[in-house]
Amino acid sequence: MQDRTRNLGDLGSGLALAALGTYVIVQALQWDYLTPEGPGAGFFPLWYGIAMLALSAALVVSELRRRSSRGAAINWRPLGRALSTWLALAAAVALLKPLGFVISFALLTFFIVAVMYRRPLKIAALVALASAAGFFLVFRLALGVALPIGFLGF
């Protein structure tokens, strides 16, 4: 059972990292690759994304080969939970600009607590608000780090 769960984790992790690598590549292509002074802001992220994509593809292919040789069926429930968590994280990152860090982080926390951990909505809302407020207090007020601000001003 533990080996089966680990292998399912390999497949899910490989797929999630492939998606993340693709996102990194797409974003890096929007930056300068080379400048007159040398490598630009997109140089390192582009190659990092390519390496991430290649290594995650190797992980997925090796897991699928092992699976086909064993004839084991994919357990879709845990894989779906892992991928939905990754999708929620990607959505939170995409919402950083329009909503700001505090709201997008609160929404991500609410989703994880309410949906993934299946806690009551009231508890999920309290955890989301407390976590977002904690991050705001530590980073914005205590450390003076500017967090992304949305159209509501925080």
Side-chain angles (χ1 to χ4, degrees):
M1 179 70 175
Q2 184 178 6
D3 186 48
R4 187 175 179 190
T5 303
R6 183 189 67 80
N7 292 336
L8 183 61
D10 286 348
L11 182 63
S13 297
L15 292 172
L17 289 170
L20 180 61
T22 302
Y23 177 77
V24 169
I25 291 170
V26 168
Q27 293 301 311
L29 289 174
Q30 297 175 10
W31 299 334
D32 290 333
Y33 181 75
L34 288 175
T35 65
E37 293 84 30
F43 183 83
F44 178 74
L46 177 65
W47 287 105
Y48 180 76
I50 290 170
M52 186 184 300
L53 189 60
L55 292 172
S56 63
L59 181 62
V60 169
V61 167
S62 70
E63 176 55 29
L64 291 176
R65 281 187 181 169
R66 267 189 269 155
R67 240 175 235 289
S68 66
S69 68
R70 287 194 308 261
I74 295 175
N75 189 353
W76 289 103
R77 184 177 171 123
L79 181 61
R81 288 176 57 82
L83 291 176
S84 65
T85 302
W86 182 88
L87 184 62
L89 177 62
V93 169
L95 292 173
L96 274 175
K97 257 189 178 172
L99 297 181
F101 176 82
V102 174
I103 295 175
S104 65
F105 182 75
L107 290 173
L108 173 65
T109 305
F110 182 83
F111 173 81
I112 290 173
V113 173
V115 177
M116 303 311 294
Y117 286 105
R118 295 184 175 99
R119 298 293 186 249
L121 296 179
K122 190 183 286 187
I123 295 203
L126 287 172
V127 170
L129 289 173
S131 299
F135 267 90
F136 180 80
L137 291 172
V138 168
F139 285 96
R140 182 68 182 228
L141 300 180
L143 298 175
V145 176
L147 296 171
I149 297 172
F151 67 93
L152 295 176
F154 54 93

